[in-house]
Amino acid sequence: MDHNQDRLALPVGTTLDRFIMRKQEDFPYATGELSQLLRDIALAAKIVNREINRSGLIDITGAYGQQNVQGEEQQKLDVIANIRFIRALRNGGEVCTVISEEDEDMIQTGKNQGKYVVAIDPLDGSSNIDVNVSIGTIFSIYRRQSAIGQEGTQEDCLQKGVHQVAAGYVIYGSSTMLVYTTGNGVNGFTYEASLGEFFLSHPNITTPPSGNIYSINEGSANSFPEGVKQFVQYCKDSSFSARYIGSLVADFHRNLLKGGIYIYPATAKNTNGKLRLMYECNALAFIVEQAGGKASNGQKRLMEIEPTSLHQRCPLYIGSTELVDKAESFLSPEPAEAVAAREA
Ligand SMILES: O=P(O)(O)OC[C@H]1O[C@](O)(COP(=O)(O)O)[C@@H](O)[C@@H]1O
Ligand SMILES: [Mg+2]
Ligand SMILES: [Mg+2]
């Protein structure tokens, strides 16, 4: 192929499907089920992207009129995204059980032959849905531990982050991207709506070891732990830039590419932080570590936290390694009884 032809007809690039196929041999259980599962998630993301893009034109903005298990007012798009992802996971046949932010209990798909469990935040950044600010979807994939042929169990769902076989997020922003890892690096794909395809646009994403961006909701500063107050002051004294979108996926994505730290600490209001271990924190921790960064709850490696409940929350310190190390250095070691009380 000569350069003239390339110039005349620019190659469109590697589609997600082709990339998944090529990478399949990298995966020890390369029987194609995980590849199919990733494709099922990408399909649901395309449909949800379409709904989001036209949400102002059709009546899917605003509250749905129900609260989820977190006591949060569900937005219509929370519910729509939840339906779309669960339907795609069910129809794909690779998943036996789903944990979703929008459902109190485990969701059995009825596909007991499915080898995988998915934990999902169908729509992240709900407070930004109606104001046209970037929002996202976050997912973690685990291999079931129980015997195939029966429904997935609580043990299948409550696995440590280190046992994830894949994780990723979709960001519905100025462009729509899917970013994921299967433990062999992190790759990003941009959605080309006119072709209905995700194309590889960010191969082998790595995050800078440091940066000058800090992301934290300073509206809760009065009830931050003392160490967090000191770290925030350190960022200000170092003339860092404060950036906070209020959509975890969007704040995380920016800091992943540019370097920086996102913190959602324990506060007086949220004594265990706000973010959920199983379908927000573990997935992003897997990605940031695969990109050379770090994630902790302020005290320990986040992916080593033993989950005890589907919707448990945990403080999140995530981003460039040097910044997370710095933040941790300000946080006094938590008294044993406080750890015991929090993890009880
Ligand atoms: O308004 P706060 O307290 O800063 O919380 C914002 C955080 O809450 C979230 O919206 C929680 O996620 P959901 O929107 O999926 O519930 C994060 O995306 C965001 O980072
Ligand atoms: Mg969320
Ligand atoms: Mg959500």
Side-chain angles (χ1 to χ4, degrees):
M1 184 74 71
D2 66 39
H3 291 304
N4 285 340
Q5 291 190 343
D6 272 2
R7 231 193 356 268
L8 274 177
L10 268 180
V12 289
T14 305
T15 63
L16 175 65
D17 274 9
R18 186 176 299 282
F19 182 87
I20 290 173
M21 291 313 290
R22 280 200 203 130
K23 287 284 174 184
Q24 190 172 311
E25 67 272 5
D26 287 352
F27 193 73
Y29 309 104
T31 51
E33 283 117 338
L34 182 65
S35 301
Q36 183 51 48
L37 174 45
L38 290 167
R39 280 194 285 271
D40 298 336
I41 290 173
L43 172 63
K46 294 174 186 177
I47 298 169
V48 169
N49 180 63
R50 180 192 67 187
E51 305 293 3
I52 290 169
N53 288 347
R54 63 187 186 153
S55 61
L57 302 172
I58 53 176
D59 178 27
I60 55 171
T61 54
Y64 178 63
Q66 243 175 259
Q67 291 198 340
N68 64 17
V69 62
Q70 339 272 338
E72 293 161 350
E73 186 70 40
Q74 286 182 313
Q75 303 300 302
K76 286 180 187 161
L77 267 167
D78 282 321
V79 176
I80 290 167
N82 196 40
I83 294 168
R84 294 288 185 188
F85 277 100
I86 292 170
R87 190 180 288 160
L89 295 172
R90 177 174 281 127
N91 295 346
E94 311 300 350
V95 174
C96 59
T97 308
V98 178
I99 317 171
S100 167
E101 177 192 3
E102 303 308 330
D103 290 275
E104 178 157 5
D105 302 316
M106 296 183 293
I107 301 148
Q108 301 293 352
T109 64
K111 300 291 168 63
N112 296 343
Q113 292 308 314
K115 291 181 181 162
Y116 297 99
V117 166
V118 171
I120 191 160
D121 176 358
L123 210 285
D124 177 67
S126 306
S127 63
N128 283 324
I129 291 174
D130 294 348
V131 289
N132 211 354
V133 170
S134 299
I135 49 183
T137 293
I138 310 173
F139 62 89
S140 282
I141 302 175
Y142 296 86
R143 206 176 162 75
R144 68 182 301 170
Q145 303 304 306
S146 61
I148 292 186
Q150 62 180 31
E151 288 191 337
T153 64
Q154 182 97 348
E155 289 66 45
D156 290 326
C157 294
L158 293 179
Q159 298 186 53
K160 282 185 180 180
V162 285
H163 298 309
Q164 292 172 96
V165 291
Y169 59 87
V170 184
I171 177 166
Y172 312 99
S174 45
S175 68
T176 293
M177 284 186 66
L178 170 65
V179 176
Y180 81 98
T181 184
T182 56
N184 302 290
V186 179
N187 292 281
F189 300 79
T190 298
Y191 186 51
E192 167 63 276
S194 62
L195 297 175
E197 290 280 1
F198 282 102
F199 288 96
L200 182 63
S201 54
H202 296 64
N204 299 319
I205 295 173
T206 56
T207 196
S210 193
N212 63 0
I213 294 172
Y214 70 104
S215 308
I216 188 168
N217 182 346
E218 290 199 64
S220 319
N222 292 344
S223 67
F224 285 166
E226 201 44 46
V228 173
K229 289 180 182 169
Q230 291 165 5
F231 177 69
V232 169
Q233 193 53 50
Y234 162 82
C235 294
K236 291 177 178 174
D237 297 343
S238 315
S239 307
F240 283 9
S241 297
R243 292 282 181 277
Y244 193 74
I245 296 168
S247 292
L248 170 62
V249 163
D251 282 309
F252 173 81
H253 184 71
R254 178 205 46 246
N255 294 357
L256 181 74
L257 299 182
K258 292 193 164 187
I261 183 170
Y262 172 98
I263 299 177
Y264 205 109
T267 61
K269 186 173 148 218
N270 298 304
T271 52
N272 241 338
K274 176 183 182 180
L275 302 173
R276 284 52 59 118
L277 177 65
M278 294 313 294
Y279 42 78
E280 289 172 319
C281 304
N282 271 330
L284 301 183
F286 192 15
I287 289 174
V288 85
E289 286 197 8
Q290 283 289 312
K294 184 174 180 177
S296 91
N297 66 352
Q299 315 289 336
K300 66 190 269 186
R301 183 185 178 206
L302 194 122
M303 291 204 291
E304 287 294 348
I305 295 174
E306 187 72 52
T308 53
S309 67
L310 300 179
H311 302 284
Q312 75 183 78
R313 301 174 192 260
C314 82
L316 180 63
Y317 298 75
I318 191 166
S320 299
T321 301
E322 290 171 21
L323 293 179
V324 176
D325 286 343
K326 191 75 181 173
E328 286 181 334
S329 71
F330 280 98
L331 289 163
S332 52
E334 218 178 343
E337 56 280 0
V339 174
R342 187 160 55 72
E343 295 189 347

